[in-house]
Structure formats: C-alpha cells, structure tokens
C-alpha cells in the first residue's frame, strides 16, 4: 500500500523550495557561464571570426576573465547547499552493518547519539563559519572557543574584494552600508562568502530535523540510503521480468 508523504510545515516547505531552487539555479548558471566562456575563447578569438567582425563592423568580447572565479564560487555554493540537501534526502552513504545487528530499541538509542554528535558538529561549524564571514561583512565574530559567549570586536574587512568579478551598477547601494561610501571596483568578498554561515545553518537545521524523526520513531538512524542494495534489487527484478 502506498504511503502518502506527511505534510510539511510552512518553514520546512520554504526551506525545501529554497534549497531545490538554488541548486537548480547554481547548476544552470555554472553550465551557461562555462559554455559561453568556451565560445568566447575559441570562437570569437579565432582568425576567421575576426575577419567576419571586419565585415559586419561589430567587435565581440575576446575573453571572460571572471568566468573561472565565478564558477568556482558557484561550485562552492552548490557543494554547501548539497550537503544539507543530502541530509534531507538521506542520500549520505554509511556503514550500518553493526547497527543492523542491534535490536530496534538499541538501534534507536545509537541513532539518537549519532544525531546528537552531528548536531554538535553542525553547531561548531556554524560558529566557525560566522566567525570567518562576519569580518568581511563588517560584523563582529563571536567570542568563546566552543560556545558563543558574546561578540568580540573584529577588524572590519568589508572593503576586501574578489579578484576578477566586477561589481554591477545596481549593487552600488551596498557601498554606504558596508564600505562607508567608498566605491567597490569588484564585488566584495562577503557576498560569495555568505554561503558559509547559510550552508552551516541549513546543515544544523537538517540534522535537527533528522534527530526529531528518530525521536518520534519515523526513522531508526541517519543512514537510510543503500544505493548498492537498491541497484542489486533493480537488476534482480529486471532478470525476473525477462
């Protein structure tokens, strides 16, 4: 009998749509930028195209220096979004041989302990991500080695820029907010680095979600994906059908 998926909360639905939409946008943007960069380098910069430009009187761009840096940042965003997305989809691979030998109550206890360790790890990752990103946005990092005990004065690094990606004119409104009115030539680093605290916060949220599912009995552990076993089952069914 088919089991209907349980309704998602408003916050869960918003975060789900956010992750899936951004992952699709990031993949599409990386593909388009890489494709256009190849065309610009190997087509527009060739001898026959220069002759064609002389005929039509239009000069096309010769290079996209910013493309490599842009795809690097997009890939980093994709990875950090993908980590929390994999936790949500239980797509992480793991070894659960010992876990499967345990009785269901013991398996649930071990699952809760594992989830608690993952939550602690994600919390520390979030603190470190904020402490690294905050100075680039002109904010203060947290004090305390393990647990935030407040905010410590950090050196303002909001004027730091990336290497190649030029800032768009419509982004000039951030200059009086983050750079004391000084103009940016390239986009400030706090924009691409923003994925660090966002990705860590999403990971923490997903681990808390997974821990709750174990607590209420919807799951027994964080390891649910068995790709190898599923592939074997698919092949077995195909052989039976033949």
């Amino acid at each position: 009998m088919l089991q209907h998926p349980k309704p998602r909360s408003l916050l869960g639905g918003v975060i789900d749509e956010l992750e899936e939409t951004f992952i699709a946008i990031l993949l599409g943007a990386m593909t388009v930028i890489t494709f256009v960069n190849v065309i610009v380098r190997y087509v527009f910069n060739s001898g026959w195209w220069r002759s064609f430009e002389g005929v039509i009187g239009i000069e096309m761009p010769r290079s996209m220096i910013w493309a490599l840096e842009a795809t690097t940042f997009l890939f980093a965003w994709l990875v950090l979004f993908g980590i929390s997305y994999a936790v949500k989809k239980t797509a992480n691979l793991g070894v659960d041989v010992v876990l499967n030998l345990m009785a269901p109550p013991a398996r649930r206890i071990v699952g809760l302990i594992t989830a608690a360790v993952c939550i602690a790890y994600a919390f520390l990752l979030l603190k470190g991500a904020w402490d690294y990103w905050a100075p680039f946005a002109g904010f203060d990092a947290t004090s305390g080695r393990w647990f935030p005990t407040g905010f410590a004065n950090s050196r303002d690094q909001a004027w730091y820029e990336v290497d190649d990606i030029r800032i768009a004119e419509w982004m000039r409104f951030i200059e009086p907010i983050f750079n004391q009115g000084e103009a940016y030539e390239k986009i400030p680093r706090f924009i691409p680095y923003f994925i660090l605290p966002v990705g860590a916060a999403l990971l923490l949220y997903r681990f808390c979600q997974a821990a709750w599912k174990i607590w209420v009995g919807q799951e027994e552990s964080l390891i649910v994906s068995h790709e190898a076993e599923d592939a074997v089952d698919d092949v077995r069914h195909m052989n039976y059908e033949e």
Side-chain angles (χ1 to χ4, degrees):
M1 185 164 112
L2 293 175
Q3 295 182 349
H4 297 286
K6 296 186 177 181
R8 297 178 298 182
S9 65
L10 178 60
L11 177 61
V14 169
I15 293 179
D16 287 354
E17 292 296 329
L18 172 72
E19 283 180 332
E20 293 173 2
T21 301
F22 265 82
I23 287 173
I25 291 174
L26 292 170
L27 281 171
M30 289 174 61
T31 303
V32 170
I33 291 174
T34 303
F35 175 76
V36 173
N37 189 35
V38 170
I39 296 298
V40 168
R41 291 179 61 186
Y42 294 102
V43 176
F44 293 160
N45 204 28
S46 62
W48 69 268
W49 184 263
R50 292 184 183 182
S51 301
F52 180 70
E53 286 179 336
V55 175
I56 64 176
I58 300 176
E59 184 178 355
M60 301 301 291
R62 292 284 181 259
S63 65
M64 293 171 58
I65 300 176
W66 52 270
L68 178 60
E69 186 176 46
T71 52
T72 301
F73 285 139
L74 290 173
F75 184 74
W77 279 62
L78 180 65
V79 169
L80 292 172
F81 266 116
I83 293 173
S84 62
Y85 188 75
V87 173
K88 179 186 76 171
K89 293 295 185 179
T90 61
N92 298 294
L93 299 180
V95 179
D96 57 356
V97 176
V98 176
L99 194 64
N100 290 334
L101 297 176
M102 299 179 180
R107 194 181 307 164
R108 181 168 176 265
I109 292 174
V110 172
L112 288 172
I113 294 173
T114 304
V117 172
C118 291
I119 289 173
Y121 167 78
F123 179 80
L124 293 174
L125 187 65
L126 176 59
K127 182 185 185 307
W130 171 268
D131 291 345
Y132 181 82
W133 173 79
F136 288 105
F139 300 140
D140 290 333
T142 61
S143 57
R145 183 173 183 180
W146 301 103
F147 189 85
T149 57
F151 291 93
N153 291 329
S154 303
R155 186 166 65 92
D156 190 340
Q157 299 177 349
W159 53 272
Y160 276 46
E161 301 174 341
V162 300
D163 294 329
D164 298 316
I165 308 174
R166 299 187 66 85
I167 189 170
E169 290 301 320
W170 62 268
M171 298 175 65
R172 295 291 180 187
F173 73 92
I174 66 175
E175 293 171 346
I177 301 174
F178 294 97
N179 203 31
Q180 301 178 357
E182 296 291 331
Y184 285 115
E185 180 182 357
K186 313 290 177 56
I187 66 170
R189 293 191 181 185
F190 74 84
I191 293 178
Y193 291 179
F194 184 54
I195 187 56
L196 294 173
V198 170
L202 284 173
L203 183 63
L204 177 61
Y205 172 75
R206 291 305 180 192
F207 277 137
C208 290
Q209 233 181 10
W212 175 254
K213 289 182 179 180
I214 298 174
W215 178 261
V216 299
Q218 294 180 16
E219 303 289 351
E220 291 184 340
S221 71
L222 297 177
I223 304 173
V224 184
S225 179
H226 297 85
E227 292 184 358
E229 296 176 10
D230 294 340
V232 172
D233 290 337
D234 291 340
V235 173
R236 184 183 297 114
H237 291 316
M238 291 173 61
N239 291 334
Y240 287 155
E241 291 175 359
E242 292 177 357

